[in-house]
Amino acid sequence: MEPTLKLSGKYFYGVGRRKTASAQVRLYKGDGKIVVVNDQVGSHYFSPRSLLETALKPLEVVGMQKDFDISAHIHGGGMAAQADAMRHGIARALVEFDANLKTALKKAGLLTRDARVKERKKFGLKRARRAPQFSKR
């Protein structure tokens, strides 16, 4: 099934981030069939089905799975971080669509930006905190 890549009309926009992944999400009024990620079908882009389900969690929480067509541009990070970034972007776009949905999304923890990122490596250490092995002799 090839998606209709020419989604047009009014849309609701949200940016989601997780680690180094960033997702720019547009929600179009539709029938919920079209999910396009980086000009690919969402089910092909997120090969394990669970990642796509993770990304679409905000729509499930508010009960609007069949109300929106989704287009997203994602870059950076790994597949799991990209799915989480898309989830964050969808939640923000839903709040732009209807501010009354904010309480339900906030309660489910979908509007909070997960700030955990990899700690930088420090000079003189092997990794962020791992010191060189100590040798007594």
Side-chain angles (χ1 to χ4, degrees), residues 109-128:
L110 299 172
L111 288 176
T112 305
R113 199 278 199 209
D114 191 350
R116 296 176 296 171
V117 293
K118 186 173 174 120
E119 191 174 343
R120 69 173 283 272
K121 180 193 175 298
K122 275 71 165 200
F123 174 76
L125 301 181
K126 300 271 187 190
R127 295 193 302 260

Side-chain angles (χ1 to χ4, degrees), residues 29-41:
K29 278 295 207 180
D31 53 5
K33 290 182 181 173
I34 303 170
V35 177
V36 178
V37 181
N38 292 351
D39 296 329
Q40 297 179 36
V41 180

Side-chain angles (χ1 to χ4, degrees), residues 31-135:
D31 53 5
K33 290 182 181 173
I34 303 170
V35 177
V36 178
V37 181
N38 292 351
D39 296 329
Q40 297 179 36
V41 180
S43 57
H44 294 318
Y45 188 82
F46 293 119
S47 57
R49 181 88 176 136
S50 61
L51 290 178
L52 185 60
E53 291 169 2
T54 299
L56 300 177
K57 182 82 172 166
L59 294 172
E60 183 184 321
V61 168
V62 296
M64 295 185 164
Q65 297 97 319
K66 306 281 187 222
D67 295 347
F68 292 103
D69 294 337
I70 301 170
S71 172
H73 289 285
I74 307 175
H75 58 273
M79 293 306 286
Q82 287 185 353
D84 286 343
M86 186 170 165
R87 179 179 71 182
H88 189 221
I90 290 172
R92 283 181 159 186
L94 284 171
V95 170
E96 185 182 317
F97 165 69
D98 185 5
N100 297 328
L101 299 174
K102 187 172 184 174
T103 54
L105 292 168
K106 190 114 176 141
K107 189 174 180 181
L110 299 172
L111 288 176
T112 305
R113 199 278 199 209
D114 191 350
R116 296 176 296 171
V117 293
K118 186 173 174 120
E119 191 174 343
R120 69 173 283 272
K121 180 193 175 298
K122 275 71 165 200
F123 174 76
L125 301 181
K126 300 271 187 190
R127 295 193 302 260
R129 299 181 186 211
R130 171 79 171 103
Q133 187 170 0
F134 173 74
S135 173

